[in-house]
Amino acid sequence: MNYPREQYETLYYLNKLLPYLKTFKNFEQDLITVAQKIKKDLVPGLKEMHPYLTDREKNIDKVLSKIEQVLAKYGGNYLKITPTLPQKNIDYLARVFRLNSGEAAIVYFLSAIQNNELLLRGLQEFSATLEEEADTLSIVAGLPRGMGNSLLNQEAPLIRLGILFREHCRCYQLSGWVQEFIQTLHKTDVARYRALIGTAVPPKEDLTAKDFVYVEAAKLATRLMRRAKHTKGFNILLYGTPGTGKSSFAQVLAQSAKLNLYPVGVCNNGEEEKNYRLQQLYRKQFLLKTVKNTCLLFDEGEDIFSSSETRTSKVEINNLLENNEVPVIWTTNKIHRMDPAYIRRFTLAVCFDKPPVEMRQKIWNKYLSANKITYTEGDTLTLAKKYEVQPSMIASAAQAAHMAKGGLPTVQEHLSFMIQALNGGRKTPEEERTNLHFYPALIHADMDLQSLTTKLTRLGRLNFSLCLYGASGTGKSAYARYLADKLGLAVLQRRASDLISCYVGETEQNIAKAFAQAREDKSLLIFDEADSFLRDRSSAARSWEVSSVNEMLTWMENHPYPFICTTNLMESLDPASLRRFSFKVKYNFLTSQQVKEAFDCFFGIKIALAETAGLDKLTPGDFTLVKNKAEILGTSTQFSAVKEMLETEQKLKHNAYGNGIGFRVN
């Protein structure tokens, strides 16, 4: 499709004359005067442009003199604008996307001027508003005035499919992918089609559906996917934390249904428009709807499901999910930010979390074997229990160890660095947790814990719970781990910082995930600092404080495995939570007899009971701290030095908290 070069030249000369034409007061008369000095075939274009000229009064004689100078330079020679792009590529675009003649004309025009900054600037000068720009663009492309508005609205193919885009304060231009497409030499239409649709995701040869048996809805998703090609509005949502295998499972799903999986990629060519990926989705839907055995993968679906990330209306997204003709597998790490109205429209939503211990061991076996790292079943079981990480991290650690020609120590070293990075540069306290020591003789509680432990281990059922409360360092967490060991259960420990989130709904999700993982792993669940998320609802200042307590209470009522909450602030807990604990155990400071035994246990110093006078606010944690300090100073065998340090720790407690350390004194 060819257009007279005069149409391109019209914009060029209007740009040249713009500084002068803007000064005219009498548009009609002055414009006619100017037009008479230009070739007859340019007059229609000039007349069409005049409504957009700014009204400013200046000396008309000077203006006309300037115009004559411009025309003198022109000298009757045409500005040569030769399209540098293969016309066949534009013809193909027009045909495959079913563009009408007007839409095609705009694409041809913009392709001709896209590298001419002067012409682009001229187009922008005539476009104070989007409506004016659309009108101007239609005129210079040789279309009837007013047609541009219908061709450039948000629902029109040029915009909906992302063929054109418009940056802030700039005029419409061809999108980067269009420019790349028409500048590339394509020998056949088949090559052109492949360039538009991209490459299908290769099969995941090392994975099958069996590798995802720990995913609760995996089997159902597989069955549904095999029928997807016969269903309009088919969408599967895979959600969960990063690295849990969502994208890999999408590939396995497509493989199981014998479908070619095409990804919706990221924006390239420096374009910053927020709707780029949605437009790409529309394009691939359009191109693939008549192609059998295909589906699409849209990773990081929050790009369009989050209102802050797109200008797209809810109605449009709802229609997309209800009417797409090509099945789409969506993934997201941020389902809590999705509108429930979107979630309800998915055919199925599948939750991905960290795999349970048994599955993690299998994953460890798989990747260690693949990377030729020597291990035993005992090794991988220990690793599976120690590291609550995603399959992707296990794979990365094994590969890193292989590349470094290392063994299991290298694997663990790699993991520790990655976990530290994920913690914002902070080292994980996990090792500290595993080294907690439980000294039965040094526990001062209002219940015989040794007897309780014996009864719980003989109980024959595991649906019980404990609330351990008292001052910090009294041995609450140590006992929880001791009990888990006696029950033969792994430990899943969560602190307040692991659960509480600034995002609405995410705290509740984290609580639910913790209970769900403990159930999957058959672990004893420990919640440290339980007062942070079980706070009395009557004093709540924010709605999420109430909802997080409600979520916790619901799970406490129905959890089939033991869980333990520890707190230093028993009085802050919601009364409803207290009724849900099988046992509530109060931890107190060490008695005089226990202080005497602690001197012997920690320092090997035997003292008389009378020598413990004044040491009435100590805990096993204090003795652990002072032992480390004394060993550094070389005074761990000197009673007077040790006692002085213990007195200092005790005094600090009094100064900071008064008499009630962590709990109310009766």
Side-chain angles (χ1 to χ4, degrees):
M1 189 179 300
N2 292 312
Y3 291 91
R5 61 189 175 187
E6 287 85 359
Q7 292 169 0
Y8 306 148
E9 294 166 2
T10 300
L11 183 60
Y12 173 80
Y13 285 107
L14 288 173
N15 181 58
K16 283 285 191 181
L17 300 175
L18 187 63
Y20 315 116
L21 295 179
K22 280 183 176 182
T23 67
F24 288 8
K25 182 178 181 181
N26 188 337
F27 290 140
E28 198 66 38
Q29 183 60 45
D30 294 337
L31 193 61
I32 292 174
T33 302
V34 174
Q36 289 173 349
K37 297 181 180 291
I38 303 179
K39 287 180 176 283
K40 185 178 179 181
D41 57 3
L42 298 182
V43 173
L46 287 169
K47 283 186 174 181
E48 293 288 358
M49 290 297 183
H50 87 269
Y52 309 125
L53 304 181
T54 305
D55 183 8
R56 289 184 182 176
E57 186 175 3
K58 291 270 180 110
N59 189 317
I60 188 66
D61 293 331
K62 290 183 179 180
V63 171
L64 292 176
S65 176
K66 295 278 188 183
I67 292 173
E68 289 175 353
Q69 293 176 22
V70 173
L71 293 174
K73 289 183 179 180
Y74 170 53
N77 296 318
Y78 287 99
L79 173 69
K80 295 181 180 181
I81 301 177
T82 304
T84 58
L85 311 170
Q87 188 167 333
K88 287 185 177 180
N89 291 341
I90 304 177
D91 290 339
Y92 181 81
L93 276 181
R95 185 169 70 253
V96 75
F97 288 117
R98 301 176 190 176
L99 303 180
N100 60 37
S101 58
E103 293 162 342
I106 290 176
V107 175
Y108 277 103
F109 175 74
L110 290 177
S111 71
I113 71 166
Q114 66 176 341
N115 296 319
N116 192 314
E117 187 63 30
L118 183 63
L119 298 180
L120 289 171
R121 193 165 59 248
L123 179 60
Q124 185 178 346
E125 290 283 354
F126 279 101
S127 309
T129 66
L130 281 174
E131 183 178 355
E132 291 178 359
E133 182 176 341
D135 211 4
T136 303
L137 193 54
S138 65
I139 293 167
V140 297
L143 304 174
R145 185 173 176 181
M147 182 178 285
N149 290 316
S150 64
L151 299 181
L152 296 173
N153 64 65
Q154 293 299 311
E155 295 300 316
L158 291 178
I159 305 302
R160 185 178 178 86
L161 298 175
I163 295 173
L164 307 185
F165 85 104
R166 186 180 189 274
E167 292 183 319
H168 297 297
C169 304
R170 292 184 63 93
C171 57
Y172 282 107
Q173 56 185 298
L174 296 179
S175 295
W177 71 269
V178 177
Q179 296 181 37
E180 182 179 350
F181 176 81
I182 61 181
Q183 291 172 352
T184 303
L185 177 63
H186 307 286
K187 294 183 179 181
T188 64
D189 281 354
V190 173
R192 292 186 179 91
Y193 178 80
R194 288 175 177 172
L196 289 176
I197 199 60
T199 305
V201 180
K204 207 70 172 170
E205 297 180 356
D206 60 331
L207 291 175
T208 67
K210 293 181 180 179
D211 291 300
F212 297 93
V213 294
Y214 65 94
V215 179
E216 209 168 344
K219 289 184 179 179
L220 177 58
T222 303
R223 293 200 303 271
L224 288 172
M225 200 69 198
R226 289 169 181 167
R227 299 290 300 171
K229 52 189 172 185
H230 306 297
T231 307
K232 186 178 182 180
F234 185 93
N235 299 275
I236 284 184
L237 177 64
L238 313 179
Y239 66 95
T241 54
T244 48
K246 299 183 294 295
S247 299
S248 296
F249 182 67
Q251 294 173 254
V252 171
L253 269 183
Q255 288 173 223
S256 67
K258 298 180 180 179
L259 300 176
N260 293 317
L261 183 65
Y262 290 90
V264 177
V266 296
C267 179
N268 54 16
N269 295 298
E271 294 176 23
E272 297 180 354
E273 60 166 6
K274 295 179 180 179
N275 282 0
Y276 177 89
R277 297 191 72 205
L278 181 60
Q279 293 166 345
Q280 187 183 154
L281 177 64
Y282 281 131
R283 291 198 300 273
K284 294 198 175 187
Q285 284 276 348
F286 190 95
L287 295 169
L288 290 172
K289 63 183 179 182
T290 58
V291 181
K292 296 181 179 180
N293 302 324
T294 57
C295 62
L296 294 170
L297 171 62
F298 199 115
D299 262 327
E300 300 180 7
E302 58 269 16
D303 283 355
I304 69 167
F305 292 128
S306 174
S307 59
S308 63
E309 298 294 333
T310 180
R311 302 188 300 270
T312 308
S313 69
K314 286 186 177 181
V315 174
E316 183 177 355
I317 299 298
N318 290 341
N319 288 336
L320 170 66
L321 294 173
E322 292 172 353
N323 300 306
N324 59 299
E325 298 184 63
V326 181
V328 184
I329 303 173
W330 305 77
T331 75
T332 181
N333 305 326
K334 303 173 182 176
I335 193 171
H336 57 282
R337 303 187 193 180
M338 288 179 59
D339 193 307
Y342 298 153
I343 298 175
R344 287 194 294 269
R345 285 169 166 81
F346 283 94
T347 309
L348 181 66
V350 182
C351 179
F352 278 71
D353 208 339
K354 297 172 185 176
V357 172
E358 292 180 5
M359 183 52 61
R360 288 205 299 270
Q361 184 181 11
K362 292 180 180 179
I363 295 171
W364 273 110
N365 289 341
K366 177 179 180 177
Y367 286 112
L368 291 178
S369 296
N371 288 281
K372 301 178 180 179
I373 296 173
T374 304
Y375 68 92
T376 66
E377 288 294 315
D379 292 331
T380 53
L381 180 60
T382 300
L383 290 169
K385 289 181 178 179
K386 184 176 180 181
Y387 297 104
E388 301 169 24
V389 296
Q390 300 90 337
S392 60
M393 290 185 65
I394 297 174
S396 176
Q399 186 180 22
H402 176 72
M403 293 172 64
K405 298 182 179 180
L408 288 180
T410 307
V411 171
Q412 296 190 74
E413 185 182 18
H414 176 276
L415 273 179
S416 66
F417 289 138
M418 294 304 297
I419 293 171
Q420 182 178 348
L422 292 171
N423 280 338
R426 295 176 286 106
K427 290 187 176 181
T428 174
E430 196 63 35
E431 290 188 7
E432 177 188 334
R433 293 179 182 177
T434 58
N435 291 330
L436 292 174
H437 297 290
F438 177 66
Y439 302 100
L442 300 181
I443 299 298
H444 182 199
D446 63 356
M447 183 177 292
D448 186 344
L449 294 182
Q450 286 289 70
S451 175
L452 178 62
T453 302
T454 301
K455 291 176 180 178
L456 290 176
T457 54
R458 296 175 179 175
L459 186 61
R461 59 183 179 88
L462 297 172
N463 58 334
F464 60 84
S465 57
L466 286 80
C467 178
L468 310 179
Y469 66 100
S472 177
T474 48
K476 302 183 295 294
S477 297
Y479 173 71
R481 289 186 167 275
Y482 171 80
L483 178 60
D485 183 65
K486 293 297 182 182
L487 292 169
L489 299 175
V491 171
L492 180 65
Q493 191 163 357
R494 292 289 181 266
R495 293 176 173 172
S497 58
D498 300 323
L499 303 175
I500 297 176
S501 170
C502 59
Y503 297 110
V504 176
E506 195 166 87
T507 299
E508 295 91 318
Q509 288 189 20
N510 291 338
I511 291 171
K513 285 181 181 179
F515 276 104
Q517 186 177 343
R519 183 178 61 193
E520 290 287 337
D521 291 350
K522 300 177 181 178
S523 301
L524 186 148
L525 180 59
I526 304 174
F527 288 114
D528 281 331
E529 306 159 1
D531 48 277
S532 299
F533 45 86
L534 272 179
R535 193 174 296 276
D536 192 340
R537 288 168 292 181
S538 64
S539 60
R542 304 172 182 84
S543 60
W544 66 264
E545 293 176 316
V546 175
S547 59
S548 63
V549 173
N550 292 339
E551 184 73 21
M552 188 75 179
L553 294 177
T554 301
W555 281 98
M556 290 170 69
E557 193 77 36
N558 300 286
H559 189 56
Y561 289 95
F563 68 92
I564 296 175
C565 290
T566 71
T567 179
N568 304 334
L569 301 168
M570 181 68 165
E571 68 275 12
S572 300
L573 300 190
D574 191 275
S577 69
L578 299 179
R579 294 193 296 271
R580 286 167 168 81
F581 289 109
S582 307
F583 300 95
K584 293 173 279 291
V585 183
K586 180 179 180 180
Y587 281 66
N588 295 291
F589 296 116
L590 297 174
T591 65
S592 297
Q593 181 62 37
Q594 288 175 321
V595 170
K596 177 177 178 282
E597 293 177 12
F599 269 95
D600 189 15
C601 178
F602 283 88
F603 304 100
I605 301 175
K606 298 185 182 297
I607 62 173
L609 191 62
E611 292 179 288
T612 66
L615 301 176
D616 57 350
K617 295 289 187 299
L618 294 177
T619 69
D622 295 326
F623 276 88
T624 300
L625 177 64
V626 170
K627 180 182 180 182
N628 292 334
K629 188 188 300 185
E631 286 177 346
I632 294 172
L633 298 175
T635 59
S636 60
T637 59
Q638 302 172 19
F639 171 70
S640 59
V642 171
K643 184 179 181 182
E644 185 179 350
M645 284 186 276
L646 288 169
E647 289 173 337
T648 300
E649 294 298 322
Q650 184 170 268
K651 185 178 180 181
L652 290 173
K653 291 182 183 183
H654 280 287
N655 292 340
Y657 305 108
N659 289 329
I661 313 294
F663 56 91
R664 287 176 180 162
V665 178
N666 296 325

